[in-house]
Amino acid sequence: MQIQNKYKLKNKLYIFAIGIVLSWACIAFLIYPNINLLITTFFQDGGFTLEPFEKLMSSERAMRSLWNSFILAVALVITVNLVGLFLVFIMGYFEIKGMKFLRFGYYSTLIYGGIVLVAGYQFIYGDVGIITNLLLSIFPNMNPNWFEGFWAVLFVMTFSSTSNYVIFLLNALLKVDYQTIEAARNMGATNFQIIRKVILPVLKPTIFALTILQFIGGLGAFAAPQIVGGEFKTITPMILTFSGIVSSRDLAALLAIFLGLASMILLAIMTKVESKGNYMSVSKVKTNLVKQQINNRFANIIVHMMAYVLFVLYTLPVVLIFLFSFTDSKAITTGKLTWDSFTLENYMTVFTDASAYQPFLVSIIYSALTAVIVVGLILYIARLIQKYNNKWTAMLEYILHIPWMLPSVLLAMGLIITYSVPNTMMFHKVLTGTLGILLIGYIIVQLPFVLRMLKASFYSIDTSLEEAAKNLGASNLRTFFKVLLPIILPSALALVALTFNSTLDEYNLSMFLSHPFYQPLGITIQNSTSPESLQDTRALTFVYTVLLMVISSIVLYLVYGRGTKAGK
Amino acid sequence: MKKSWLLIVVLVFSLVLTACGGKQESSQGAGKDKSLVVYTNSASDGRGDWLKEKAAEQGFDIKIVEAGGGDIRNKLIAEKANPIADVVYGLNEMNYIALKNEDVLEPFTPVWANEVEEGTSDSEGYYHSLVKQAILLIYNSDLYTQETTASDWPELWENKAFHGLYEVPTNLGGDTTRTVIASILVRYQDPNGKLGISDKGWKEIKKFFDNGTPATEATPFYANLANGTTPFGQMFSSGIQQREQEYGVKAGIVSPEIGVPYVTEQIAVVKGTKKKEGAEEFINWFGSAKVQAEWAKAFNSMPTNLEAAKSANPEVKTLHESVKKQDMDWEFITENIDAWIEKITLEIQ
Amino acid sequence: MIEFKNIQIKFDDFTAIHNLNLEIKEGEFFTLLGPSGCGKTTTLRSLVGFIKPTNGDILVNGERINDIPVERREIGMVFQSYALFPTMNVYENIAFGLQVKKYKKDEVDKQVREIASKVDLNEEQLFKKVSDLSGGQQQRVAIARALVLKPKILVLDEPLSNLDAKLRKQLRVELKKLQSQFGITSIYVTHDQEEALTMSDRIAVFNKGNIEQVGTPKEIFDQSKTEFVCNFIGDNNFLQPSFLQRIKNECNVAIDPTTTAYIRPGKVTTKVLDATQYDVVVEGEIVEKEYHGISSKVTYEIGNQRIANMEMEDHSNDYEVGSRKKIAFQIADILTY
Ligand SMILES: Nc1ncnc2c1ncn2[C@@H]1O[C@H](COP(=O)(O)OP(=O)(O)O)[C@@H](O)[C@H]1O
Ligand SMILES: [Mg+2]
């Protein structure tokens, strides 16, 4: 009896301590700074005013940008689903010649993203780009600035978002029980009917979740509209502009709230649909998917052609960036190559000049720390949520979604405004000007995505495994590390890789929070793509981009490449 | 097998960490008082390296942090409680007024304070002027002559022949851009107007944006000036020479009757610095007539230090003599510029 | 009705089926039996059309079907996992094939309900999620789904293998009942010999891609053609050469002591009323008794030869371990290879 009480007390103390620490962290990093920001912006002169609201409502441009953001989000949902589904089916379902090789192309946007990717596309399709030059030599009268505006933004964003989409959907596709497909064929269903009636319904929940993520991504689009948008303006660049003007921050905050509300509504829908738990697989023994031949010759040719065209579209930027990273700045600005253009100088500079390679090291360290900490933390929290399914953990989950509802610029501003002066919440430690604040920022923005993904993996574990371990006398800790973690590990590692890669070239947070001495790569790259930059820094950008791709590829290989091999 | 690569990751990680840690130490170790952090918007085109090198000869170990004027200002304000910078130079007076109001600056009178043009520094000694800069409307002189060019900003939108031929800024955060906008708006100062500007003024600035070609992230203005896409646009005076060489195009300078806006770039000590003495010593050195003269020669600037101004490059001197200074109410501008930019962003651009 | 002629099936350079020749008659319940990995599924799938034989012909009603696509073969299939569509309810699952064939809506409805009542699925179950059904109900849905298309042939690939023992026995009966009710030619795949023996009209025993024996359950059991079949099906007593030598000498039977010989437990009797009726009568000592409820497995030792026998627990066999008894069998029941 006494022993039991002792355990009970110990357990209670532990939960109490965890509760305190988590509450503090949630309030200090996720709630208080944002509320503080809202208060300081909306109650500037002592009283609350609706003035910023009126300003925005009467601003044609702000309303148009908002409208554009929504249009972009909707369009993106359509294009990403079309391209993404096509890719998923040719990668996982149909027999396509050369797919082993093609799929690397389709995954290429996993190894670079954000500003780097858009700059790469701009470099190829922009007014002095290779493709533009090529097209101009055929159609001399065409507009060299053809790659600008809505369609350009949509094009770039479609390609940059599909790789992620494909990863998750392909995973879902591979979980389809092949016997159901054969059963349908046996009953006379055509390929098309099988896809529509048997496979798509199974994929539907995943498609739905990914669609909502796309929508939120489209709403918050930054790099693409900024660089190739031209007249097509969206909301996030505007938020960025206003957040740079102290007196206009209320507008930035308000615009962000618009976006936040939209995201919140969508997330609520998503959670609702998810909780309905669409269906449960009934297969106890599942057979693996076997690739299908497309029987119609004509369709087969068309599909192959589309597959290869997409491959070219995906790989062209990568190949050209790689190529041009070895050329002098003249070749880069004019987009014209000669044999003399090639040089190793750019690489020499990056590897020998400390100021050139430092951003790289800084970004790698920050990203690695972010990835490991976020995934580690969320592993713990997701487990907590799964184990103690009560109103506190439900609240914790909602709070951890806050970063999805606010643009990162706003999160950064909240941190700055709140912790640029000694604050009790942070034990009077000033965070601005420290190295830690950027890490905190990076971690915060990654929380929701990692949480969603890890939670899903935890819930997919057969509960009897845990019970079996406990029954055999394993402690909680042991059960977690020896039984649960090994099952979760592939997902966790994949998330480490994705988090790492997406943090590498982060710009928005970095701009606000980075320590001036240790500027991460995103800043360096953005600076060198700005029109004022001297030309040789543009060449360096290409080297950075190539190196980024190499690192990201290595990370992905370590996680996925080996994973698939082990799977076979 | 699985553990082996984890091990590699950890190894690489710790290696990188120690490498960086090592560097950090060495940069902090040298010359305690004279290692300074300098924030500026004016380190491009080789200015930063030049300054580092020359300062090193005097025993200073300078670390330069460069960003746009507005960003530097916001950064300094954000870091107020825990400042990293010791010295800030190069921003224009508008920014320094804001910094002073935010209590970011430390008053200090450099030894050369009396040598500079009167009225260009802060009367309370919070900041002191280094160089003056004319913010110009320039044109491609291969395509236009003194006779055929627009004679002032308004002509660009009043005369249909120039529509679409001048670049208008898309990012309104830069100091040069803000000065150009201010120089147009102050012509329509009206105490009863919106934000102190008459309706006509707002109409004019709208026409300015409507009839110009927006700047793109992709191509620098000078490239467009050279290839004739937009042969007109804004430029700060000290940037002209170097770009002329780089792009091989000679810029013509428009000299409107009303004059051109002049901004003065300042220097100041950041409040809360732990190296106050070093910072002051640096300012005494950098603002001195001798150094400013060298700086002027190297970077085509126009010092406000009267002694140094004499050794400015002849072309620069001629340039500055050829244009008249526009009379602008800077207090009024500083007070309103942010609101103007906001209004333009929301309603006009 | 169905004929496999010289069928060879290769996966790359691995030959799963070597040279298969088999004939299945109209209305027959035919079972492919064999250990896991011997090629049963492969054979079945080649009939359904998921696999193309690398050699040989498959004939249905005398017509070669090698090149006819799956959906035109009119062969219904019940999968091992049932392969019910998890996103559809029971009704939709059954209706799927009819909809694919573009039947009219009311026709679909009529047929679905008709087949559902035949397999004992009621109205309420029809609109349940398939994941809410029990294993047995799922199986009936799978069968209904296959039968609603009125196939000429029904094939079932280990449909009972992932059910518990009791349910398996129960469903065995139901399945057989359904089959005879519909009278449809059925091919049934299993690795469970008991299942095969109880349900089938005829059985083909597979081993490593070859057929070892085709026959009725009784033929397969009583006259196992090969040592493999003999061992794979039912219990066995291996008869040692020394024992064979002994009975040859003592009982004066014509047997070659060097052959491999077995005798099945059921073929031995201990109730020897008239010793002259049996070819072999020897005395043994009871060394082990394994109680099975209705019967017991009693092991006798004759010298160094052990022979097990199944004996009813009807009090006619209440002997203790250690007692001695006469045991007898016929020479014709010895299986020699
Ligand atoms: N698609 C395939 N590719 C290669 N080998 C296969 C394939 N399908 C089956 N096999 C092999 O053929 C043999 C027979 O398999 P199968 O017919 O499934 O056996 P079972 O009798 O258990 O149903 C096995 O050795 C199996 O490994
Ligand atoms: Mg099988």
Side-chain angles (χ1 to χ4, degrees):
Chain A
M1 207 47 199
Q2 229 175 356
I3 290 178
Q4 206 189 340
N5 277 340
K6 213 170 116 191
Y7 272 119
K8 238 181 171 169
L9 185 71
K10 221 172 130 188
N11 200 25
K12 263 199 176 149
L13 271 177
Y14 164 76
I15 291 187
F16 188 68
I18 292 298
I20 298 254
V21 172
L22 281 179
S23 308
W24 169 78
C26 280
I27 294 171
F29 295 118
L30 294 173
I31 300 175
Y32 179 57
N34 298 317
I35 290 185
N36 194 24
L37 175 73
L38 296 185
I39 290 175
T40 44
T41 48
F42 288 113
F43 292 84
Q44 243 165 4
D45 311 312
F48 176 75
T49 99
L50 282 176
E51 198 196 318
F53 193 73
E54 284 157 14
K55 267 191 205 163
L56 281 185
M57 293 306 284
S58 62
S59 158
E60 195 197 320
R61 182 174 170 213
M63 288 300 114
R64 189 154 26 89
S65 300
L66 212 52
W67 175 244
N68 283 347
S69 287
F70 276 92
I71 292 291
L72 180 63
V74 171
L76 197 60
V77 160
I78 297 170
T79 53
V80 169
N81 270 311
L82 282 180
V83 178
L85 276 173
F86 178 78
L87 288 183
V88 165
F89 277 100
I90 61 172
M91 288 168 89
Y93 187 68
F94 288 116
E95 188 69 57
I96 301 290
K97 294 218 166 53
M99 186 45 72
K100 273 203 179 101
F101 167 71
L102 291 178
R103 71 195 175 102
F104 287 110
Y106 304 143
Y107 280 136
S108 66
T109 54
L110 286 178
I111 59 172
Y112 68 135
I115 212 122
V116 181
L117 179 138
V118 184
Y121 275 71
Q122 157 75 25
F123 169 70
I124 290 166
Y125 302 105
D127 53 354
V128 293
I130 306 246
I131 297 290
T132 308
N133 281 337
L134 197 77
L135 289 174
L136 274 174
S137 66
I138 308 169
F139 314 104
N141 292 325
M142 73 172 257
N143 174 13
N145 284 316
W146 66 287
F147 196 73
E148 204 178 86
F150 172 73
W151 295 107
V153 173
L154 188 62
F155 182 83
V156 174
M157 290 196 69
T158 301
F159 281 98
S160 67
S161 324
T162 34
S163 294
N164 238 319
Y165 180 97
V166 165
I167 283 199
F168 290 106
L169 199 58
L170 197 57
N171 230 338
L173 177 69
L174 295 180
K175 287 200 185 110
V176 173
D177 181 3
Y178 184 59
Q179 290 193 0
T180 58
I181 293 169
E182 289 198 322
R185 284 222 5 234
N186 180 233
M187 286 182 273
T190 59
N191 260 333
F192 180 71
Q193 282 170 319
I194 292 176
I195 290 177
R196 203 166 59 92
K197 294 205 163 155
V198 179
I199 302 179
L200 283 183
V202 177
L203 300 185
K204 207 175 71 187
T206 317
I207 293 179
F208 193 76
L210 288 170
T211 295
I212 292 210
L213 288 186
Q214 284 316 321
F215 198 90
I216 293 176
L219 279 183
F222 170 71
Q226 175 92 338
I227 295 179
V228 296
E231 290 287 291
F232 180 78
K233 301 238 164 32
T234 59
I235 227 60
T236 311
M238 199 176 205
I239 292 177
L240 199 70
T241 309
F242 283 139
S243 60
I245 308 170
V246 175
S247 63
S248 303
R249 283 196 175 158
D250 50 349
L251 295 183
L254 194 59
L255 284 172
I257 289 173
F258 280 164
L259 288 189
L261 279 177
S263 310
M264 205 148 31
I265 293 169
L266 285 170
L267 283 178
I269 297 174
M270 176 161 149
T271 318
K272 185 113 195 197
V273 172
E274 259 181 1
S275 70
K276 267 191 192 157
N278 261 359
Y279 69 91
M280 243 166 65
S281 172
V282 286
S283 309
K284 293 203 179 65
V285 278
K286 191 185 83 74
T287 38
N288 287 331
L289 215 59
V290 176
K291 291 216 174 168
Q292 307 287 303
Q293 194 73 41
I294 303 174
N295 291 324
N296 184 322
R297 246 183 82 92
F298 182 68
N300 197 17
I301 290 171
I302 294 280
V303 168
H304 270 82
M305 257 163 56
M306 279 163 70
Y308 278 86
V309 167
L310 278 175
F311 175 78
V312 170
L313 289 178
Y314 270 100
T315 23
L316 202 61
V318 179
V319 171
L320 290 179
I321 287 171
F322 181 75
L323 204 64
F324 276 84
S325 71
F326 289 98
T327 64
D328 52 22
S329 52
K330 189 154 164 265
I332 290 172
T333 40
T334 57
K336 287 178 185 112
L337 268 185
T338 61
W339 281 115
D340 302 336
S341 315
F342 287 93
T343 164
L344 277 176
E345 212 168 294
N346 305 328
Y347 281 88
M348 295 292 283
T349 315
V350 169
F351 285 120
T352 54
D353 180 359
S355 69
Y357 67 70
Q358 199 207 7
F360 218 85
L361 290 182
V362 170
S363 274
I364 290 178
I365 295 176
Y366 266 121
S367 306
L369 283 174
T370 305
V372 171
I373 294 176
V374 167
V375 174
L377 194 71
I378 294 296
L379 266 178
Y380 182 79
I381 290 178
R383 168 94 177 121
L384 216 60
I385 290 175
Q386 184 209 22
K387 207 164 135 195
Y388 305 96
N389 200 346
N390 58 31
K391 65 171 191 277
W392 294 104
T393 53
M395 199 159 88
L396 177 66
E397 211 182 323
Y398 277 114
I399 292 172
L400 288 172
H401 277 100
I402 289 177
W404 244 355
M405 296 165 203
L406 298 173
S408 49
V409 175
L410 213 72
L411 296 168
M413 269 162 45
L415 286 174
I416 288 185
I417 287 183
T418 313
Y419 299 120
S420 61
V421 287
N423 189 307
T424 331
M425 198 50 101
M426 207 45 64
F427 315 107
H428 293 285
K429 178 126 181 56
V430 172
L431 291 185
T432 47
T434 63
L435 284 167
I437 192 166
L438 181 60
L439 183 63
I440 292 173
Y442 281 164
I443 291 175
I444 288 177
V445 295
Q446 297 291 349
L447 288 173
F449 178 69
V450 176
L451 175 63
R452 276 211 100 79
M453 294 302 162
L454 273 188
K455 206 187 117 192
S457 332
F458 263 114
Y459 276 91
S460 68
I461 299 180
D462 188 354
T463 45
S464 54
L465 279 177
E466 195 183 334
E467 285 160 6
K470 288 254 178 65
N471 182 244
L472 294 170
S475 63
N476 274 333
L477 217 60
R478 197 185 182 85
T479 306
F480 180 76
F481 279 105
K482 290 275 168 186
V483 180
L484 302 181
L485 195 59
I487 300 174
I488 301 273
L489 203 64
S491 320
L493 286 178
L495 282 169
V496 167
L498 290 179
T499 311
F500 178 84
N501 287 356
S502 67
T503 310
L504 267 183
D505 54 0
E506 206 283 340
Y507 172 68
N508 289 357
L509 282 173
S510 314
M511 192 189 70
F512 279 90
L513 301 178
S514 62
H515 189 285
F517 298 172
Y518 301 100
Q519 303 238 314
L521 205 54
I523 305 255
T524 320
I525 289 175
Q526 167 78 12
N527 284 348
S528 63
T529 50
S530 82
E532 280 92 37
S533 78
L534 286 181
Q535 287 167 355
D536 37 281
T537 59
R538 291 203 147 205
L540 289 192
T541 313
F542 282 79
V543 178
Y544 286 141
T545 308
V546 168
L547 294 180
L548 267 181
M549 290 176 179
V550 170
I551 291 181
S552 302
S553 309
I554 293 172
V555 170
L556 285 174
Y557 170 75
L558 286 178
V559 172
Y560 279 108
R562 298 174 59 110
T564 44
K565 253 183 226 158
K568 277 176 192 169
Chain B
M1 268 305 259
K2 259 188 197 159
K3 274 183 188 149
S4 70
W5 75 262
L6 257 177
L7 201 75
I8 293 172
V9 171
V10 170
L11 242 145
V12 169
F13 204 62
S14 46
L15 259 173
V16 172
L17 268 176
T18 46
C20 272
K23 239 176 57 202
Q24 199 172 339
E25 268 163 42
S26 69
S27 71
Q28 283 178 349
K32 266 219 156 112
D33 243 6
K34 289 182 127 188
S35 64
L36 300 173
V37 177
V38 177
Y39 278 15
T40 184
N41 61 343
S42 169
S44 56
D45 302 356
R47 288 179 176 83
D49 292 335
W50 187 93
L51 185 59
K52 256 190 211 164
E53 205 172 291
K54 295 283 173 184
E57 288 168 15
Q58 301 299 313
F60 293 108
D61 180 11
I62 301 283
K63 187 148 179 93
I64 291 177
V65 174
E66 191 197 3
D71 290 341
I72 290 283
R73 182 191 63 198
N74 289 343
K75 232 177 170 45
L76 282 167
I77 295 172
E79 291 166 3
K80 194 158 69 171
N82 188 20
I84 296 171
D86 302 304
V87 173
V88 50
Y89 84 88
L91 317 195
N92 67 26
E93 201 173 347
M94 285 190 278
N95 284 316
Y96 278 90
I97 293 173
L99 288 175
K100 180 181 157 189
N101 292 340
E102 285 280 344
D103 200 19
V104 173
L105 304 180
E106 178 80 40
F108 155 67
T109 309
V111 289
W112 42 263
N114 294 326
E115 300 169 19
V116 298
E117 224 174 284
E118 211 170 313
T120 54
S121 301
D122 179 37
S123 54
E124 292 171 70
Y126 279 89
Y127 50 88
H128 301 271
S129 76
L130 290 177
V131 300
K132 57 182 179 185
Q133 191 87 258
I135 305 301
L136 303 162
L137 168 60
I138 62 169
Y139 59 90
N140 181 332
S141 63
D142 297 337
L143 303 174
Y144 294 88
T145 66
Q146 288 235 294
E147 282 72 43
T148 57
T149 174
S151 62
D152 192 0
W153 286 100
E155 200 183 333
L156 290 175
W157 58 88
E158 277 159 10
N159 185 343
K160 278 212 167 75
F162 297 122
H163 284 186
L165 290 180
Y166 63 98
E167 185 177 281
V168 290
T170 33
N171 173 3
L172 305 186
D175 283 351
T176 307
T177 298
R178 288 169 160 240
T179 308
V180 169
I181 288 171
S183 88
I184 297 171
L185 284 177
V186 288
R187 302 174 191 204
Y188 305 95
Q189 208 167 328
D190 175 359
N192 301 320
K194 259 187 235 140
L195 303 173
I197 302 298
S198 68
D199 280 352
K200 174 137 177 35
W202 290 116
K203 273 188 196 126
E204 292 295 311
I205 202 82
K206 181 160 171 42
K207 283 187 206 154
F208 167 65
F209 279 102
D210 285 351
N211 296 309
T213 300
T216 62
E217 294 259 343
T219 350
F221 161 58
Y222 241 85
N224 285 332
L225 177 99
N227 66 28
T229 314
T230 53
F232 293 92
Q234 65 188 36
M235 195 65 217
F236 49 97
S237 55
S238 71
I240 293 177
Q241 259 84 3
Q242 206 166 356
R243 283 176 176 73
E244 277 183 354
Q245 285 158 22
E246 207 174 298
Y247 291 92
V249 62
K250 184 110 183 88
I253 287 156
V254 176
S255 170
E257 216 162 293
I258 194 169
V260 299
Y262 263 85
V263 294
T264 46
E265 299 179 358
Q266 312 277 336
I267 190 163
V269 179
V270 177
K271 189 171 180 172
T273 166
K274 290 174 195 75
K275 296 161 185 169
K276 192 157 175 291
E277 274 169 41
E280 292 178 355
E281 201 183 325
F282 173 76
I283 293 177
N284 280 338
W285 166 78
F286 185 43
S288 67
K290 184 169 154 280
V291 180
Q292 281 303 305
E294 287 175 39
W295 178 267
K297 280 214 188 84
F299 303 110
N300 304 304
S301 69
M302 190 64 204
T304 51
N305 187 309
L306 296 172
E307 188 59 32
K310 289 176 192 155
S311 13
N313 287 339
E315 298 98 345
V316 177
K317 273 198 264 183
T318 345
L319 188 155
H320 280 269
E321 279 156 17
S322 73
V323 293
K324 197 176 103 188
K325 179 173 170 182
Q326 185 182 357
D327 191 21
M328 292 165 79
D329 182 349
W330 286 106
E331 288 285 330
F332 170 69
I333 293 171
T334 310
E335 209 172 287
N336 289 297
I337 184 75
D338 281 346
W340 292 343
I341 296 295
E342 181 183 294
K343 187 174 164 66
I344 290 171
T345 312
L346 281 178
E347 294 164 19
I348 291 167
Q349 208 183 8
Chain C
M1 179 187 193
I2 305 166
E3 237 180 306
F4 291 89
K5 271 192 178 165
N6 305 324
I7 292 295
Q8 184 204 46
I9 297 171
K10 273 186 165 178
F11 298 109
D12 297 324
D13 34 336
F14 172 77
T15 310
I17 300 294
H18 296 280
N19 183 14
L20 178 90
N21 284 292
L22 192 61
E23 214 184 317
I24 296 157
K25 298 187 196 97
E26 181 96 46
E28 212 172 13
F29 193 110
F30 193 93
T31 298
L32 310 183
L33 174 67
S36 145
C38 66
K40 309 178 295 287
T41 300
T42 306
T43 307
L44 199 66
R45 287 164 59 83
S46 70
L47 172 65
V48 180
F50 290 127
I51 296 175
K52 273 212 159 63
T54 33
N55 216 335
D57 299 326
I58 303 176
L59 309 177
V60 172
N61 291 332
E63 212 177 305
R64 188 170 179 276
I65 60 163
N66 285 38
D67 300 317
I68 295 179
V70 181
E71 61 271 18
R72 298 246 205 85
R73 293 194 185 188
E74 296 179 63
I75 301 176
M77 180 157 183
V78 175
F79 290 79
Q80 187 169 10
S81 71
Y82 304 147
L84 299 179
F85 306 125
T87 53
M88 305 177 191
N89 65 24
V90 173
Y91 184 95
E92 289 163 337
N93 261 285
I94 300 176
F96 182 87
L98 297 170
Q99 283 163 350
V100 163
K101 294 214 155 67
K102 303 229 159 54
Y103 277 54
K104 293 240 168 54
K105 214 169 162 202
D106 44 349
E107 182 66 20
V108 171
D109 191 66
K110 196 183 129 218
Q111 302 225 20
V112 169
R113 283 171 197 281
E114 205 175 288
I115 196 81
S117 76
K118 275 192 191 153
V119 298
D120 271 341
L121 287 166
N122 62 30
E123 174 78 11
E124 181 206 3
Q125 287 158 343
L126 265 184
F127 294 95
K128 271 189 172 175
K129 280 197 221 166
V130 288
S131 55
D132 290 347
L133 297 181
S134 71
Q137 289 164 339
Q138 285 180 4
Q139 189 202 33
R140 276 183 271 162
V141 176
I143 291 173
R145 195 177 68 174
L147 290 182
V148 79
L149 294 174
K150 308 211 162 65
K152 288 190 281 190
I153 301 162
L154 180 67
V155 303
L156 307 99
D157 189 358
E158 313 217 15
L160 304 179
S161 68
N162 49 52
L163 300 174
D164 59 80
K166 182 139 186 261
L167 190 59
R168 206 151 64 205
K169 279 202 175 143
Q170 183 191 329
L171 290 180
R172 215 147 76 186
V173 180
E174 267 191 48
L175 208 94
K176 177 71 194 170
K177 209 178 80 197
L178 279 174
Q179 192 267 336
S180 48
Q181 176 189 334
F182 288 100
I184 186 170
T185 312
S186 303
I187 303 183
Y188 187 90
V189 164
T190 183
H191 63 262
D192 182 335
Q193 40 123 346
E194 201 182 316
E195 229 169 79
L197 292 175
T198 49
M199 297 169 77
S200 323
D201 295 329
R202 282 198 306 149
I203 298 172
V205 183
F206 276 65
N207 182 27
K208 292 184 186 148
N210 292 308
I211 290 187
E212 298 262 339
Q213 185 175 6
V214 181
T216 63
K218 192 169 166 53
E219 283 165 358
I220 298 278
F221 192 85
D222 289 351
Q223 293 150 39
S224 305
K225 246 196 206 154
T226 64
E227 191 179 357
F228 172 81
V229 176
C230 164
N231 273 313
F232 186 71
I233 296 184
D235 278 347
N236 257 322
N237 294 306
F238 174 68
L239 301 180
Q240 294 173 18
S242 59
F243 179 74
L244 292 178
Q245 188 65 51
R246 181 176 155 187
I247 57 172
K248 187 179 178 186
N249 297 345
E250 287 181 10
C251 309
N252 201 9
V253 287
I255 190 160
D256 177 7
T258 58
T259 54
T260 316
Y262 296 88
I263 186 146
R264 295 205 181 269
K267 302 295 175 194
V268 178
T269 181
T270 51
K271 301 191 177 68
V272 189
L273 301 174
D274 176 5
T276 57
Q277 257 191 326
Y278 298 96
D279 298 338
V280 179
V281 181
V282 288
E283 196 180 70
E285 180 191 342
I286 300 179
V287 288
E288 228 177 88
K289 217 170 166 180
E290 195 182 289
Y291 184 65
H292 285 205
I294 304 170
S295 59
S296 283
K297 185 176 172 190
V298 184
T299 309
Y300 298 87
E301 204 169 64
I302 310 114
N304 59 358
Q305 172 73 49
R306 282 175 165 233
I307 292 180
N309 188 29
M310 292 307 289
E311 291 173 11
M312 297 302 287
E313 282 291 337
D314 57 3
H315 300 296
S316 63
N317 294 305
D318 291 347
Y319 306 104
E320 295 299 315
V321 171
S323 48
R324 295 184 70 85
K325 282 209 70 182
K326 278 215 170 89
I327 54 175
F329 51 85
Q330 301 293 35
I331 202 76
D333 286 332
I334 295 182
L335 301 165
T336 55
Y337 303 102

